[in-house]
Amino acid sequence: MARTSSLPFIAAILLAFASSTASAFGVFGKKAASASSTKLPLPTLDKETGRYQKSPLDDGEYPYDAVGSALRHGPSPFITRVFNADEYEQGILKYMSTAQVSRAEATGNTDAKLNNAMDWAYQKMEETKGKPKVDFTRLDKKQAVLTVVWAFGITPLAISVVVDTASQFMNSPGPSVIKSM
């Protein structure tokens, strides 16, 4: 009985597998270009109320909490997020819809804009000119430490100095031209 080689059969199976994984995962395991253009769960504008409605596919989860907003971008986005949550959410949804981005990217950009609108606008203008895109969701450890030092060290000290100075002025105002009257 003549023995047939199974090598061509194995080669055909490996070739079929390689071509299917290349199209599914892209070359060398990287995502294919078409996979990056998947549809984002973008919000819609309700024309009657003028409010944005989140997509049913959007889980509504922020990439970080309010403290994360404070550590990344300071007190302004933190205060807005805590005390005016509806306006904050509408800002996120509007940015998602306008810029066609994910919730995470919209959250970072909204926080950066609330912190310093002029710097944020400048950065966006530079990005349109070809500068690298800034990831506003990234937490810089050095910036976080500086924020904590300001929040719990320098700011209470400054408030204490102002209160003590005002208290001293109110209790003993010093020489006054009105006293002689």
Side-chain angles (χ1 to χ4, degrees):
M1 196 168 167
R3 189 166 183 208
T4 58
S5 173
S6 61
L7 187 59
F9 179 70
I10 293 173
I13 290 174
L14 287 174
L15 183 62
F17 178 74
S19 66
S20 67
T21 57
S23 64
F25 300 110
V27 180
F28 302 111
K30 293 181 181 175
K31 290 183 179 176
S34 63
S36 65
S37 64
T38 56
K39 189 166 171 61
L40 292 170
L42 296 175
T44 56
L45 178 64
D46 184 353
K47 298 198 188 275
E48 289 180 21
T49 62
R51 296 177 50 83
Y52 286 90
Q53 304 295 323
K54 76 179 185 78
S55 166
L57 302 175
D58 182 5
D59 61 4
E61 293 290 322
Y62 295 116
Y64 47 84
D65 60 1
V67 174
S69 288
L71 290 175
R72 285 170 178 82
H73 301 288
S76 183
F78 172 79
I79 291 168
T80 303
R81 192 166 174 172
V82 170
F83 295 108
N84 201 350
D86 185 58
E87 181 181 328
Y88 183 82
E89 175 67 9
Q90 285 296 304
I92 300 291
L93 294 174
K94 181 178 180 181
Y95 192 85
M96 284 175 69
S97 178
T98 305
Q100 305 280 307
V101 297
S102 68
R103 178 173 283 274
E105 188 173 342
T107 301
N109 277 279
T110 301
D111 286 351
K113 186 177 181 182
L114 287 170
N115 180 42
N116 189 335
M118 295 301 287
D119 282 353
W120 177 82
Y122 176 78
Q123 177 60 39
K124 289 296 159 189
M125 183 181 65
E126 290 298 308
E127 287 175 11
T128 61
K129 293 179 182 177
K131 298 283 184 187
K133 194 172 186 178
V134 173
D135 180 10
F136 289 112
T137 62
R138 187 179 62 80
L139 177 61
D140 180 18
K141 301 225 188 288
K142 181 182 174 185
Q143 184 61 43
V145 169
L146 289 173
T147 301
V148 169
V149 168
W150 271 97
F152 295 113
I154 296 171
T155 302
L157 178 66
I159 290 171
S160 174
V161 167
V162 168
V163 168
D164 288 347
T165 303
S167 175
Q168 287 176 2
F169 180 76
M170 298 303 280
N171 293 334
S172 57
S176 174
V177 286
I178 300 177
K179 281 186 178 177
S180 63
M181 293 175 104

